[in-house]
Amino acid sequence: MEFSGNHVGREGNAALTRERRSRSWYGMADKDGFIRRSWMKSQGFPDHAFDGRPVIGICNTWSELTPCNSGLRDLAEGVKRGIWEAGGFPVEFPVMSLGETQMKPTAMLFRNLLAMDVEESIRAYGMDGVVLLGGCDKTTPGQLMGAASVDLPTIVVSSGPMLNGKWKGRELGSGTDVRKFATAVKAGEMTLADFMATESGMSRSRGVCMTMGTASTMASLTEAMGIALPTNAALPAVDARRMALAHMTGRRIVEMVEEDLKLSDVVTRASFENAIIANAAVGGSTNAVVHLLALAGRVGVDLELADFEISGDIPLLVNCMPSGKYLMEDFCYAGGMPAVLAEIAHLLRPARTVLGSDIAAYHEGAECYNRDVIYAFDTPLQPAAGLRVLRGNLAPRGAIVKPSAATGELLERDGEAFVFETIEELKANIDREDLPVTADTFLVLKGCGPKGYPGMPEVGDMPLPAKLVKQGVRDMVRISDGRMSGTAFGTVILHVSPEASDGGPLALVRTGDRIRISARRGILELLVDDGELVARRAGWKPPPPHYTRGYAKMYVEHVLQADQGADLDFLVGKDTRPVTRESH
Ligand code: FES
């Protein structure tokens, strides 16, 4: 191929009629432009890749340490096909990957670090639009948060769920059945050998957890918010149609750059409300709360925990674990998110999507093919199943509970607290035969908030005491400042804010105290005299820090509480100014 010298754009190319962001990287006939193009050409890209066509970043969280995202290298190829076909120039780049089941102390500690990686990668490199390839729980929100702070045209392609788990003729749901089986082993109802044998049957293909856990919840919400193409959430990871979806997404992002359709045009107050409504309808994860609050902070939408109360009356339509019995593969074949959005269409706020049109057009023509998987709005699986926000002197800035995964009669009662000061104390004592608890006890766990653990892990659904499990107890009230997995279930009150380690009232609770909960009235009260609480506070000391250096130290010093999405204080908002200084 002939060297093109300073001829860096084809004459008459319509692509040059719009001044693109990438031109200040690749469009200059000077030393800086030479250096950037020349080094990119070392990969075999031809001259015309730099002729002014849209440069599209493919932000990939592929990693063998994030098994849920292990299909993303292949999907990136599909995205590239679409981008080339539409006249763009695809460039794939890696960012930190967060393997939910693999990271210690918790992947959530690193969600904001991923967001920083994504934000700075997008800002520093010469791209005009970005496709986010994520899937496992924290990767989708982390990528969206980072991308929102730069605010280019942006679209999501998710990993897609694993195939249904199978074992001895029954279906296995990742996460949800692990917990049930672990309890069954404790109760002597399942052998350890059978428990271990389910391990391989549970994960039969690549992809994210195939229950309506956090990953599939967040993927479902990308459709409810219109930031991915329709069917993104439920198409199985190994379904050929997911590759076609990736291809079509590549085509669409090039058009979005031409239309200057930015992330902030799609992620708006209305789309957040649609996400909150849809999250209730699908029986989605409680983790959606912290992720949506954090994303709202990035785009400047004034979303608060109280806004989640709009979901209280929304019925549960999707019969998927952990709130129901089916799995994501079944959800896909029943019609997936387009069918759900069609059922709740009368509740959805007008909102623009990545298609450029309103959410109403996004699900137009969608049908349900199995009413036992996706219920009709008028005959739901459960009425009024949305998340409940609880407040009171135990949680002045709020706490949440997921009624669809809880035991109804446990949501309206008083009980006596049994307190674990740390996760280590809980693990060392929960199965003691002489643990002084009954089925009516409220288990309370401290030190699991954003600062305390740190990273707000998914330990809020504490294991039940062995002695009660053997008596047939399968649920108890549990209260903490932590989170729980989207695949988990039970009467679990989460995200108590402010957290204990930050001096929240949770820090003052002692074994034997009475606590009142009412999901219906939104109450979480510690029934202890104010004078006694003042005396306890006078004697309270914050726990010593677990980390004294590095990112974790910075995280603890800057992380916001759960009711603000647990983002870092200095990452809230965005900076869309052009980068004008050169590196050479
Ligand atoms: Fe990655 Fe469930 S652990 S999606």
Side-chain angles (χ1 to χ4, degrees), residues 12-81:
N13 184 355
L16 290 178
T17 57
R18 180 191 293 281
E19 185 57 31
R20 300 192 192 291
R21 182 177 185 270
S22 61
R23 297 306 281 163
S24 75
W25 273 260
Y26 301 118
M28 295 179 317
D30 61 8
K31 181 195 68 173
D32 292 316
F34 173 106
I35 288 172
R36 294 206 184 91
R37 286 187 301 276
S38 181
W39 263 255
M40 288 297 276
K41 285 176 179 177
S42 72
Q43 302 173 87
F45 293 122
D47 282 349
H48 70 261
F50 305 94
D51 66 359
R53 64 188 60 216
V55 177
I56 307 296
I58 302 173
C59 175
N60 202 341
T61 52
W62 174 90
S63 166
E64 287 182 340
L65 287 169
T66 308
C68 317
N69 292 10
S70 63
L72 292 178
R73 264 208 309 214
D74 293 343
L75 285 183
E77 294 306 314
V79 175
K80 287 177 190 173
R81 284 184 210 165

Side-chain angles (χ1 to χ4, degrees), residues 61 66 69 72 96-100 111 114 118 132-144 159:
T61 52
T66 308
N69 292 10
L72 292 178
M96 184 182 192
S97 192
L98 309 179
E100 188 67 30
R111 182 200 64 178
L114 166 62
V118 171
L132 304 176
L133 296 188
C136 194
D137 296 13
K138 306 302 176 292
T139 54
T140 304
Q143 284 181 298
L144 278 168
S159 300

